[in-house]
């Protein structure tokens, strides 16, 4: 296999944003990159300069990815250029159409950078084997009540189906990880909810205490007893202890100590 710095990849994509992102990934891994906005422009580029690999979106104006792939595979001078189809694989018939077009690999969008690069490595490691294989007889298959004819050689069919399966496994792994992450986030939210509930209870309790102590507080000007809501007079210590979380200890302030015990030096 040629070194990555000697490999040229053609991106066929009508979205400038997707083209830019894909170009960035490929160039970061040492590949040289060209691009075309659709299948028609891609054919012009390919005939002017043969790329080592074509990565093409399926849905494009003028000529889609399937038509581009089929045009390449019927041309004796271009048929050995590997083609990777970018697809959402939302329709199982995409696989059948890919087989009919002679595609070499499927890549499901969105994709991980590392998975894309591993697929490219796989394509190039099997390229010499693919060149030595001759097209086999036409294969007739039935799918969803329709009859399809596949002209791809058997190695190409196996490669495409393996890449489709590998994509499915990759997506399943991503879904499992996303599910696991969601469970972890749910548990964290559950724990935070319990903490918030406790804080809310503490706040409600504090608010009720504030309400209890708010307003006018009848207190005797002489003995300092406090009248409660039922009209009973209580020592200030017992009244407050029932309403706030405090305990009282008794002592004498300097003024009272001097008044009642003048002979005791403080």
């Amino acid at each position: 296999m040629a070194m990555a710095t000697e490999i040229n990849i053609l991106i066929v994509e009508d979205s400038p944003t997707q083209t830019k992102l894909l170009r960035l990934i490929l160039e970061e891994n040492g590949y040289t990159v060209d691009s075309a906005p659709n299948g028609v422009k891609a054919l012009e580029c390919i005939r002017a300069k043969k790329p080592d690999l074509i990565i093409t979106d399926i849905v494009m104006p003028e000529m889609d990815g399937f038509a581009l792939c089929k045009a390449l595979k019927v041309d004796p001078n271009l048929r050995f250029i590997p083609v990777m189809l970018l697809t959402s694989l939302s329709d199982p018939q995409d696989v059948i159409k890919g087989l009919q077009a002679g595609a070499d690999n499927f890549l499901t969008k969105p994709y991980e950078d590392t998975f894309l690069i591993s697929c490219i490595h796989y394509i190039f490691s099997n390229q010499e084997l693919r060149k030595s294989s001759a097209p086999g007889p036409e294969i007739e298959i039935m799918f969803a009540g329709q009859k399809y004819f596949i002209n791809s050689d058997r190695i190409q069919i196996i490669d495409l189906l393996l890449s489709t399966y590998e994509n499915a496994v990759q997506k399943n792994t991503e879904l499992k990880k996303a599910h696991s992450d969601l469970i972890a986030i749910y548990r964290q939210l559950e724990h935070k909810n319990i903490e918030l509930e406790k804080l809310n209870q503490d706040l409600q309790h504090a608010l009720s205490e504030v309400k209890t102590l708010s307003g006018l507080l009848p207190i005797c000007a002489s003995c300092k007893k406090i009248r409660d809501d039922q009209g009973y007079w209580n020592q200030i210590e017992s009244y407050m202890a029932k309403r706030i979380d405090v305990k009282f200890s008794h002592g004498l302030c300097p003024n009272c100590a001097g008044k009642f015990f003048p002979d005791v030096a403080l």
Side-chain angles (χ1 to χ4, degrees), residues 230-243:
Q230 285 74 41
Y232 295 103
W233 291 88
N234 302 271
Q235 293 291 339
I236 189 170
E237 300 97 317
S238 60
Y239 182 88
M240 298 298 290
K242 292 177 182 178
R243 289 160 173 79

Side-chain angles (χ1 to χ4, degrees), residues 93 96 100 139-144 146-150:
Q93 288 191 345
I96 303 296
Q100 287 181 311
I139 301 172
E140 179 183 329
I141 63 170
M142 291 290 296
F143 180 78
Q146 294 185 22
K147 187 181 293 184
Y148 297 90
F149 296 95
I150 310 299

Side-chain angles (χ1 to χ4, degrees), residues 58 66 87 89-100 106 143-148:
I58 288 180
F66 293 128
T87 174
L89 276 183
S90 56
D91 187 347
Q93 288 191 345
D94 283 354
V95 178
I96 303 296
K97 291 177 181 177
L99 287 170
Q100 287 181 311
F106 265 122
F143 180 78
Q146 294 185 22
K147 187 181 293 184
Y148 297 90

Side-chain angles (χ1 to χ4, degrees), residues 24-37:
L24 182 63
I25 296 169
L26 295 174
E27 289 181 341
E28 284 180 346
N29 284 273
Y31 298 104
T32 60
V33 180
D34 293 315
S35 63

Side-chain angles (χ1 to χ4, degrees), residues 157-244:
I157 292 172
I158 291 171
D159 278 351
L160 187 64
L161 293 179
L162 283 176
S163 70
T164 304
Y165 174 75
E166 191 177 10
N167 267 282
V169 170
Q170 174 76 10
K171 293 303 174 185
N172 187 53
T173 301
E174 292 173 7
L175 285 172
K176 284 183 178 179
K177 184 180 183 303
H179 180 67
S180 178
D181 291 344
L182 283 173
I183 290 176
I185 292 171
Y186 172 76
R187 287 174 177 167
Q188 290 176 9
L189 289 173
E190 206 171 37
H191 180 69
K192 293 296 182 183
N193 188 53
I194 292 172
E195 291 181 349
L196 286 172
E197 189 65 31
K198 185 178 182 303
L199 286 173
N200 184 56
Q201 290 176 359
D202 292 344
L203 182 61
Q204 291 297 327
H205 177 71
L207 185 60
S208 65
E209 294 297 340
V210 170
K211 287 181 178 179
T212 300
L213 297 176
S214 64
L216 292 174
L217 193 64
I219 185 169
C220 176
S222 176
C223 67
K224 306 304 180 184
K225 287 184 178 180
I226 295 175
R227 189 181 69 197
D228 61 22
D229 296 336
Q230 285 74 41
Y232 295 103
W233 291 88
N234 302 271
Q235 293 291 339
I236 189 170
E237 300 97 317
S238 60
Y239 182 88
M240 298 298 290
K242 292 177 182 178
R243 289 160 173 79
I244 59 175

Side-chain angles (χ1 to χ4, degrees), residues 248-262:
F248 291 88
S249 62
H250 293 81
L252 290 172
C253 70
N255 290 337
C256 292
K259 177 180 177 181
F260 294 106
F261 305 100

